[in-house]
Amino acid sequence: EKCEHSEAGAEVHLPWLGNLSGGMTYFHNFVKDLIEWHRRFDGRYHPVNISRAKIYGHEDFINWKSPKDIFEVKYNNTVCYAKNKSGDRLEDGKFIPFRPRYLTNLSFEVNYKIFEILYHIRWVSERFTGPANTKREEPYHLEDLTLALKKRLWEVETKLRWEWHNLNDEEYMLIH
């Protein structure tokens, strides 16, 4: 793969009842010889070379951390348009398979003395499963929970952590 990448962004930090920050970054990629995985008729995946692709969009975030860093809320959202620009009459201008257009994360973290709690929610929009953009994977959302106990022993920070992923038992498929 070869890629021309550009991005521009802005970020602001405000001391508002702790620390409030937010930002936005626009990105643009023009990729040559992009390798993607496509599903064959038998359900197996095989690599496919997309001669040219244009991937562009923006990433936004807002974070707030309370005074003394006890509570934190993080939100980020990515809007991505991944388009086939190969010149192929059937696929040019179509979305590249398995690339969600919207990806949103929201997390809440409590960090108090020896206790740490993290609750994370992730939303993923529908994705096309083939180059013709006729079949789709359904959107999904995941919820994760992490509980931890931390203690400094001598000069070493230790942590005992329990993690539960996909609390809502959502069925989904990941293709990278």
Side-chain angles (χ1 to χ4, degrees):
E1 295 179 6
K2 294 181 182 179
C3 180
E4 293 175 15
H5 174 81
S6 61
E7 61 181 57
E11 194 170 309
V12 65
H13 296 271
L14 303 169
W16 181 73
L17 296 174
N19 186 20
L20 179 66
S21 60
M24 179 180 288
T25 301
Y26 290 92
F27 60 89
H28 182 276
N29 298 302
F30 185 74
V31 185
K32 292 181 181 177
D33 297 322
L34 176 66
I35 303 299
E36 286 290 322
W37 291 89
H38 291 188
R39 191 181 335 206
R40 296 189 317 206
F41 66 93
D42 61 1
R44 293 184 157 183
Y45 291 87
H46 65 103
V48 173
N49 183 322
I50 298 174
S51 62
R52 290 183 307 218
K54 182 178 176 182
I55 303 169
Y56 61 97
H58 58 89
E59 298 172 338
D60 317 311
F61 77 91
I62 297 174
N63 297 335
W64 176 75
K65 193 177 262 192
S66 71
K68 300 183 183 179
D69 299 338
I70 293 172
F71 187 67
E72 185 172 11
V73 178
K74 294 180 180 178
Y75 167 85
N76 70 41
N77 183 58
T78 301
V79 178
C80 181
Y81 298 93
K83 299 282 195 132
N84 183 322
K85 293 295 182 185
S86 64
D88 180 285
R89 67 180 184 84
L90 297 176
E91 297 175 9
D92 190 82
K94 305 275 181 153
F95 287 99
I96 296 172
F98 300 108
R99 303 262 180 145
R101 202 170 321 164
Y102 305 103
L103 178 62
T104 304
N105 292 286
L106 177 64
S107 66
F108 303 92
E109 185 172 349
V110 175
N111 199 337
Y112 184 70
K113 296 186 179 181
I114 67 168
F115 302 102
E116 223 174 74
I117 301 169
L118 174 63
Y119 183 68
H120 185 174
I121 308 167
R122 179 172 33 270
W123 292 273
V124 179
S125 70
E126 67 182 6
R127 290 95 51 229
F128 291 105
T129 59
N133 291 178
T134 56
K135 294 182 181 176
R136 307 164 192 251
E137 282 291 325
E138 291 296 316
Y140 64 90
H141 91 276
L142 301 175
E143 299 176 26
D144 303 329
L145 177 66
T146 301
L147 302 176
L149 295 172
K150 56 188 179 176
K151 180 76 174 160
R152 181 173 289 282
L153 297 173
W154 299 283
E155 293 299 314
V156 178
E157 180 78 28
T158 61
K159 188 183 290 189
L160 183 60
R161 192 169 69 212
W162 295 269
E163 294 183 1
W164 293 271
H165 296 279
N166 196 5
L167 291 172
N168 51 327
D169 199 23
E170 182 84 22
E171 188 173 322
Y172 64 99
M173 182 186 333
L174 294 178
I175 301 291
H176 294 276

